[in-house]
Amino acid sequence: MGFDLPGKEWTTYIPIATTVALAIYVAWEAMRPKIGWVNPDIQKNEEKVVHTMDVEDIGEKLSICRCWRSKTFPLCDGIHKAHNKRTGDNVGPLRLKRRNVS
C-alpha cells in the first residue's frame, strides 16, 4: 500500500497539503511563547503593569506570581509548574510571610 498516483493526480493534493501545513504553522506560532517577552498576555494594553497591595492585607502568608502566567495575577496559582515542565525553566513564586514578633 503506497502513494501510487499517476501523472497529474498527485498535484491535486498540493493545495490541500499547503493549507494544512500553513494551518499547523499558524497554530504553532500562536501557542509558542514570544521570545524575549516575560509577560505573554497580562494587561498588554497597559504601558507598564503595576500592582499595589497593603501589607495589612497579606495575612499570614502570600505567594506572588513571577512567571506571568497566573490566571489570578499578581497572585500565584501554581501554573509555573506546567510552565517549568514545558520550557525547562525553574521559576517559582515570591513567598511573603508574616514574621512572628514576640
Side-chain angles (χ1 to χ4, degrees), residues 38-39 41-43 49-51 53 63-77 79:
V38 174
N39 175 5
D41 59 5
I42 295 172
Q43 295 177 325
V49 179
V50 177
H51 291 92
M53 190 174 297
S63 293
I64 305 293
C65 176
R66 294 192 304 165
C67 73
W68 287 83
R69 277 122 183 110
S70 175
K71 299 296 183 214
T72 59
F73 192 86
L75 302 178
C76 176
D77 66 359
I79 195 67

Side-chain angles (χ1 to χ4, degrees), residues 10-66:
W10 69 270
T11 61
T12 59
Y13 294 104
I14 290 176
I16 296 169
T18 303
T19 302
V20 169
L22 182 61
I24 291 170
Y25 174 77
V26 168
W28 174 260
E29 284 297 312
M31 292 185 311
R32 189 172 66 105
K34 306 296 185 253
I35 296 173
W37 285 11
V38 174
N39 175 5
D41 59 5
I42 295 172
Q43 295 177 325
K44 296 306 279 187
N45 58 330
E46 302 290 329
E47 183 178 341
K48 180 171 35 172
V49 179
V50 177
H51 291 92
T52 304
M53 190 174 297
D54 290 329
V55 175
E56 292 80 18
D57 295 337
I58 291 177
E60 291 302 313
K61 60 184 175 178
L62 183 69
S63 293
I64 305 293
C65 176
R66 294 192 304 165

